[in-house]
Amino acid sequence: MESPRLAKAFDEGRGDSVGDELSRRVHAIHPDLAWETGPGLAGARHHLALSSEGDVTLRVLTERWLARAPAPDAAWEYYPARQPSGRDAKLNLALHDAPGIDIAYADARAALEVDEAREVVHVKLHHPALARLPEKSRSTAAFLMLDDALGEDGVERWVGHLDLSVEPLPAAQPVAALAEAVASLERHSTGERWVIIEARTESGRGTRSPGRSRPASSPPSTPSCTRRRRCPAAGIRRSFRGTSAGS
């Protein structure tokens, strides 16, 4: 797909007309990759980001794709992971498997627990729309909202446990507070996190000892099933009128 034709479609509000074609080209790289387009973040009119959906093996692949991508121009910027959109809460999200349900980012609320030992923030997230979403779509929506606040890499690095609540949370804050908590944690980060490792010897005897986890600047060593954001091979479009997701 020629980037000028792609840009023209989005300029004219016809992004849906090229979505399937863009999906086919992204899936030709790997069928489990997702993609996102949205307003440019560094001067271009639009940006295109690939997403590994939490799979660190595919995250390496998106970096290779970026290394071979065209240079940014007035129309397009390219990223190997979803990027944060900043503090603007005007965005809406609509998932392809939940038609008719608009998820306003501004309505999301989060209860945060900072774990300084592990240098992560545990998040409990509530949104009024969660109760109306199919259960399999709830984590999709939650991760997309967190991605919007921190960027995909930021979520992988700084978010520990993620729990969802269909009921309002006492003392919850706007999701923007998560970015503030992470910024504070990052300023005081040692780059090392300590955890308790529990194992058994060949004789079956249990042992526990402290162990050092990955540095702050490194990706996770293994993908977690909780990091599989949603059904793979989907694409979304960010805009101030709404965001749609489709496979």
Side-chain angles (χ1 to χ4, degrees), residues 19-120:
D20 288 344
E21 184 178 357
L22 182 54
S23 289
R24 286 195 299 272
R25 290 179 178 266
V26 170
H27 303 160
I29 301 171
H30 194 285
D32 289 342
L33 289 176
W35 56 268
E36 173 179 292
T37 63
L41 305 172
R45 298 195 305 278
H46 310 282
H47 83 263
L48 171 64
L50 297 195
S51 172
S52 65
E53 299 285 47
D55 186 323
V56 294
T57 302
L58 295 183
R59 183 64 180 80
V60 173
L61 186 59
T62 64
E63 286 288 350
R64 292 176 180 169
W65 165 80
L66 180 64
R68 293 165 174 78
D73 55 26
W76 287 103
E77 303 158 7
Y78 305 95
Y79 298 95
R82 291 195 183 96
Q83 301 297 296
S85 69
R87 295 172 175 267
D88 197 317
K90 297 178 182 176
L91 294 173
N92 288 348
L93 175 69
L95 302 178
H96 72 283
D97 56 355
I101 301 177
D102 286 331
I103 305 166
Y105 282 34
D107 294 338
R109 293 294 182 270
L112 309 177
E113 177 189 349
V114 177
D115 186 335
E116 294 184 355
R118 291 179 171 83
E119 296 182 355
V120 295

Side-chain angles (χ1 to χ4, degrees), residues 155-190:
V155 172
E156 295 299 320
R157 167 58 185 94
W158 295 106
V159 174
H161 304 306
L162 172 60
D163 296 313
L164 306 183
S165 174
V166 297
E167 300 295 334
L169 300 170
Q173 307 172 74
V175 174
L178 174 60
E180 296 172 1
V182 165
S184 176
L185 189 61
E186 188 172 12
R187 284 194 298 269
H188 300 94
S189 173
T190 63

